[in-house]
Amino acid sequence: NKTGGTGLAAWTIRAFLGGFHPRWQRPPGRCRVLFLGADLDSTYRDDVAPVLHEHFPDCDLSPRCRYDEVRGCVVAGARGIETRWGDQVLFRSGSQSALALSGARVQLVVVNEPPRQHIWGEAMRSAVGAAPILVNFTPLPPASLIGGDDLRWLRGVIEDPNAPERWSEHVVPLRYETAPHRRPAEIDQQIADMLPWERAQRRDAAWEGPAP
């Protein structure tokens, strides 16, 4: 909802790999990051890739990694980031086959928008040991999930009463104070343009809202 979630995800990756994240310390040696996005086409190209490039400028990329405004970051012809010090960011879609994540071993997982339920398990299994996991999303199923999964399963994971300390949950509603980088009139217009049945989730970050 333009409160800066994708920017937070990009900063988290850069801070972790750069060794200046305030809570998560990277292990020694080269690291790999799994970035699980809504898709590998429009959302990645138009939203994720430009924000990541702000945190990984050309001077930080390896010789075989290039940023392209049409394709995003590419390593040897495939989507991804490879830094000049050898770390990698792998991009996967939250709606593709779970086999695409099978076998991945990473030191940080970043989930930017909720994946389909069958993808979740493979994404979590890719985390090596106590690798940190950041999940950033609007609690409204994206178009790829309509007619399939809803997000009750994800809420059950995050708010599992049997593992209350596994996740730290932070709710960020759309307000002037939570989006200080934007003009108030722009926020007012965004809220006015929201469909009534989406407002509880898109504006207030509620888990549930009235059915359309």
Side-chain angles (χ1 to χ4, degrees):
N1 293 319
K2 300 180 182 178
T3 55
T6 301
L8 168 67
W11 179 88
T12 297
I13 295 171
R14 184 65 183 85
F16 178 78
L17 294 180
F20 56 88
H21 193 281
R23 294 190 61 187
W24 297 340
Q25 184 176 359
R26 62 166 290 162
R30 295 181 179 180
C31 288
R32 302 175 83 196
V33 176
L34 172 64
F35 187 103
L36 192 61
D39 62 61
L40 294 178
D41 294 312
S42 58
T43 302
Y44 166 75
R45 180 186 63 244
D46 301 336
D47 179 27
V48 172
V51 174
L52 277 167
H53 191 239
E54 293 176 10
H55 296 270
F56 290 91
D58 291 339
C59 62
D60 281 345
L61 303 179
S62 75
R64 66 175 190 159
C65 182
R66 294 286 185 271
Y67 174 74
D68 183 285
E69 292 186 356
V70 175
R71 297 187 64 195
C73 278
V74 178
V75 181
R79 292 183 184 88
I81 294 175
E82 184 176 76
T83 67
R84 57 185 173 84
W85 52 88
D87 295 326
Q88 293 181 325
V89 181
L90 315 176
F91 295 104
R92 297 292 186 270
S93 167
S95 58
Q96 65 186 123
S97 168
L99 291 176
L101 282 79
S102 181
R105 304 288 288 169
V106 300
Q107 285 71 43
L108 172 66
V109 177
V110 173
V111 181
N112 196 50
E113 297 304 340
R116 295 193 72 106
Q117 187 174 3
H118 72 275
I119 293 288
W120 179 262
E122 289 296 337
M124 297 302 102
R125 278 188 287 275
S126 71
V128 176
I133 301 167
L134 172 67
V135 186
N136 166 62
F137 63 97
T138 300
L140 189 75
S144 63
L145 304 188
I146 299 299
D149 301 336
D150 59 31
L151 296 185
R152 283 176 289 187
W153 67 268
L154 183 57
R155 183 176 187 178
V157 169
I158 293 176
E159 297 183 346
D160 182 0
N162 297 316
E165 297 181 358
R166 176 161 174 77
W167 295 98
S168 174
E169 186 175 357
H170 306 267
V171 180
V172 184
L174 179 59
R175 304 283 190 269
Y176 300 151
E177 61 269 22
T178 60
H181 57 291
R182 301 178 58 198
R183 294 183 296 110
E186 181 184 345
I187 294 175
D188 290 342
Q189 188 62 54
Q190 180 184 345
I191 294 173
D193 290 341
M194 291 177 183
L195 296 171
W197 51 84
E198 293 184 350
R199 196 162 291 159
Q201 292 153 301
R202 292 198 180 279
R203 180 191 62 192
D204 303 327
W207 270 108
E208 298 177 359

